[in-house]
Amino acid sequence: MQRQTWAPAEITPAGAGVAPSPAGLSHYLREAAQLGSLLVEHKALVFRGFAVEVGTLPQILDGLLPNRLAYVHGNSPRTKVGANVYTSTEFPSEFTISMHGELSYARAWPARLAFFCEVAPGSGGATPVVDAERWLHMLDPELRAAFAGGIRYSQNLPERHGLGKSWPDTYETTDRRQVEHYLVEAGAEWEWKADGGLRVHQLRPATVRHPVTGAEVWFNQADQWHPAGLGDEVAVALASLMTPDELPQSVSFADGTAIPGSYVHQIRDRGLAEAVDVPWQAGDLLLVDNVLIAHGRRPFTGARRVLVAMSG
């Protein structure tokens, strides 16, 4: 299979026929009645040259994401900085974040994501994006067949400090009844632990179909939840400290069978190899269809600050 030639569509003031300003972009978004169709067609859109800043971001997001969602049940370290606007991740800058569909392990996931570059990195730090339908077909038939029955995600969420995010941070509440209500709605299994922590299990599919195009796509985070996805040294260190049941997060096939590390490496490496990098300039926005496109992050130097918002 030859490497894909797909890339996100870039929208500039000149191409859109509007002023190079936030007001110009807002005007374009109001007039672009078919923005949804344009996003489905191109899968990802980059808005560049509109001089958007943090102070003007809310009005732009209102046009891109009319109904922004809270990052409930998210496992990535983030800080909430506005009305359902978050830092994209606070994972250490020297590491690559592999390709994934946002919240693919959750009961419901966002349909769209919008990323905004407040501060461009000194070097590196691109957001790689990959066509998730193509990613699926790049995987070996044996692997796809093994995942056909779905995936079992498991989490150990501490009450306060510990490895990984706490359950109050994860669910944005300290009310156990609210958490249990969410878990019932999610069809999850859970138990409150004696130390105040929470253990959660969820069964999810490995692939889904896009609601408009019908395309089947690779849509899970098995490689990110599996110790093999952390690298050999980290995996060995974790194994020496705790049992699989004690890991902050882990994953298996739906029937509880272990997922081979070789599968995890294939998923991770082929997704990253096929990805197209979106480099950042301050003021850039990237809008993606969260089912058609998986995203990640390249390592970087400097003070990179990218914000993210989501909608259903």
Side-chain angles (χ1 to χ4, degrees), residues 95-110:
F95 296 112
T96 296
I97 298 177
S98 61
M99 310 309 294
H100 60 285
E102 196 64 46
L103 290 169
S104 56
Y105 52 84
R107 164 183 62 92
W109 49 81

Side-chain angles (χ1 to χ4, degrees), residues 105-250:
Y105 52 84
R107 164 183 62 92
W109 49 81
R112 295 182 185 180
L113 309 176
F115 298 90
F116 168 71
C117 181
E118 180 181 357
V119 179
S123 66
T127 293
V129 290
V130 68
D131 182 327
E133 181 181 12
R134 184 176 176 86
W135 187 13
L136 170 65
H137 292 294
M138 290 183 66
L139 301 174
D140 292 348
E142 174 192 1
L143 185 153
R144 297 201 303 267
F147 277 87
I151 298 171
R152 186 175 191 257
Y153 295 96
S154 299
Q155 287 175 287
N156 283 304
L157 304 171
E159 184 175 24
R160 294 184 181 86
H161 303 295
L163 286 176
K165 289 177 70 173
S166 69
W167 62 260
D169 284 344
T170 297
Y171 297 101
E172 296 192 359
T173 180
T174 57
D175 188 333
R176 289 192 178 198
R177 290 173 298 179
Q178 289 187 29
V179 173
E180 290 178 356
H181 176 75
Y182 177 90
L183 293 172
V184 168
E185 292 287 312
E189 300 175 7
W190 77 92
E191 61 177 308
W192 294 104
K193 299 162 67 176
D195 62 2
L198 175 65
R199 183 159 173 78
V200 180
H201 303 287
Q202 297 187 93
L203 297 180
R204 299 288 179 247
T207 67
V208 298
R209 291 193 178 274
H210 190 270
V212 176
T213 70
E216 184 181 13
V217 303
W218 188 250
F219 193 72
N220 65 77
Q221 285 168 250
D223 65 306
Q224 293 189 331
W225 286 54
H226 195 291
L230 300 173
D232 293 341
E233 291 184 5
V234 176
V236 169
L238 283 175
S240 69
L241 294 172
M242 57 189 65
T243 67
D245 285 345
E246 295 172 327
L247 292 170
Q249 57 188 38
S250 58

Side-chain angles (χ1 to χ4, degrees), residues 8 18 28 62 90 104 111 125 149 157 162 188 205 244 247 252 256 274 286 291-292 302:
V18 297
Y28 170 78
D62 287 345
E90 292 168 10
S104 56
L157 304 171
L247 292 170
S252 67
E274 191 65 14
L286 168 65
V291 174
L292 293 176

